[in-house]
Amino acid sequence: MLDHVQPFYDALADFYHLIFDDWDQAIARQGRVIDALLRTRCGAGPLQVLDCACGIGTQAIGLAALGHHVTGSDLSPAAVERARREVLKRGLEAEFHVSDMTRLAEVPSDRFDAVIAFDNALPHLSADQLLLAAQAFRRVLRAGGWFIAGIRNYDELIRSRPTVMGPSFIGTPGARRIVHQVWDWTGTETYDVHLYISLEQQDAWKSLHFVSKYRCLLRAEIDAALRSAGFAEIEWVMPEGSGSYQPLVTARAL
Ligand SMILES: C[S@@+](CC[C@H](N)C(=O)[O-])C[C@H]1O[C@@H](n2cnc3c(N)ncnc32)[C@H](O)[C@@H]1O
């Protein structure tokens, strides 16, 4: 599935912040949620954290701002380049690498306290790639370190098979934007995602359209992949219990 992923996120890199009501608020909110999970599992830190699907830096920036030592990696060179710029712009520090999470070959350390992958990165992977990724997460973590990831609630979505997500109406009159997704189901568990960002300009609207593929990755498959790669204490924290907007899995490296 990776063939479609890098072009999608490269093309989206300059616009990704537009899918949030307020990206800086999202950075701060997600940083607090992940920091709270890390504290209960790894201690107060500062911790060595690898964000292996950092994108343009939503979680990496939030955690760096809270004092953690953050390494970000991602398949998309354009997203990584933007994450670097955004960290510098905020006077923060974090290092970044272009790296496929199924290998993490470019990531120099194997002593991370935590590896994170947020906002539905794992469902871009095929079943075989997920197993490789779980092994890579285990390899770069110290014994006793934690893996934490957030994905959409596919255990429910696979039954309801929605075709539209959103729209979200964002911004103020004259500079509004409308963000929505169309899900074109290509099989019982797979869909093409069409992401539209429509921007109000002076006298007209301009629409940006990005296309990628996802599969409905169920929680049991993630549990099995993590277990087979040497993780234990695998637990799902639902949004009501975490403050996150997606179910989160946490697992301890043996
Ligand atoms: C929905 S975005 C989330 C990005 C970031 N975590 C955020 O919330 O802003 C998913 C990210 O996963 C990355 N990704 C997908 N497959 C990957 C892989 N095999 N290796 C590394 N990154 C991958 C994409 O490039 C993309 O940046």
Side-chain angles (χ1 to χ4, degrees):
M1 294 176 87
L2 292 185
D3 291 357
H4 305 270
V5 178
Q6 188 197 321
F8 176 71
Y9 287 104
D10 279 346
L12 196 51
D14 283 341
F15 307 101
Y16 195 86
H17 63 289
L18 296 174
I19 68 176
F20 298 90
D21 276 10
D22 179 324
W23 189 43
D24 276 296
Q25 275 181 17
I27 287 171
R29 189 173 53 246
Q30 293 196 35
R32 284 194 300 272
V33 166
I34 301 167
D35 181 63
L37 286 166
L38 291 174
R39 276 169 184 274
T40 54
R41 285 156 179 82
C42 307
L47 302 168
Q48 300 283 341
V49 181
L50 172 67
D51 181 351
C52 71
C54 67
I56 65 169
T58 311
Q59 297 80 23
I61 296 169
L63 291 174
L66 292 173
H68 294 293
H69 303 295
V70 178
T71 301
S73 61
D74 198 281
L75 193 64
S76 160
V80 165
E81 192 43 48
R82 174 142 186 226
R84 271 200 195 102
R85 285 201 310 273
E86 297 291 345
V87 160
L88 281 179
K89 209 197 277 181
R90 290 166 175 77
L92 298 169
E93 282 183 23
E95 68 172 72
F96 290 97
H97 305 276
V98 175
S99 189
D100 183 338
M101 72 169 87
T102 62
R103 294 181 62 235
L104 293 177
E106 295 77 8
V107 172
S109 170
D110 59 2
R111 301 283 307 151
F112 286 102
D113 298 305
V115 173
I116 65 168
F118 270 73
D119 197 11
N120 219 34
L122 299 182
H124 281 302
L125 305 176
S126 69
D128 288 345
Q129 287 164 347
L130 179 67
L131 292 171
L132 291 175
Q135 289 164 18
F137 305 151
R138 175 62 197 88
R139 185 178 56 71
V140 299
L141 279 167
R142 65 169 172 78
W146 286 82
F147 174 71
I148 307 182
I151 66 162
R152 283 189 186 273
N153 191 347
Y154 285 118
D155 287 55
E156 281 184 6
L157 293 167
I158 198 170
R159 287 195 294 271
S160 55
R161 291 167 63 88
T163 52
V164 179
M165 287 281 155
S168 309
F169 297 91
I170 304 170
T172 48
R176 298 182 72 218
R177 60 186 183 276
I178 303 173
V179 179
H180 74 287
Q181 296 184 5
V182 173
W183 290 13
D184 182 13
W185 289 85
T186 49
T188 48
E189 298 172 4
T190 53
Y191 60 93
D192 290 344
V193 58
H194 295 258
L195 167 63
Y196 297 89
I197 304 175
S198 303
L199 300 165
E200 185 177 21
Q201 302 192 315
Q202 283 199 324
D203 321 315
W205 283 78
K206 175 184 172 189
S207 263
L208 306 170
H209 178 194
F210 307 90
V211 189
S212 188
K213 291 180 186 301
Y214 270 117
R215 72 184 179 105
C216 294
L217 178 53
L218 304 185
R219 296 196 274 277
E221 184 180 339
I222 295 182
D223 292 353
L226 290 172
R227 215 174 294 114
S228 77
F231 286 89
E233 298 174 43
I234 301 165
E235 186 192 344
W236 283 89
V237 188
M238 301 311 273
E240 313 79 70
S242 68
S244 174
Y245 56 98
Q246 286 179 345
L248 305 179
V249 64
T250 76
R252 193 171 70 85
L254 292 171

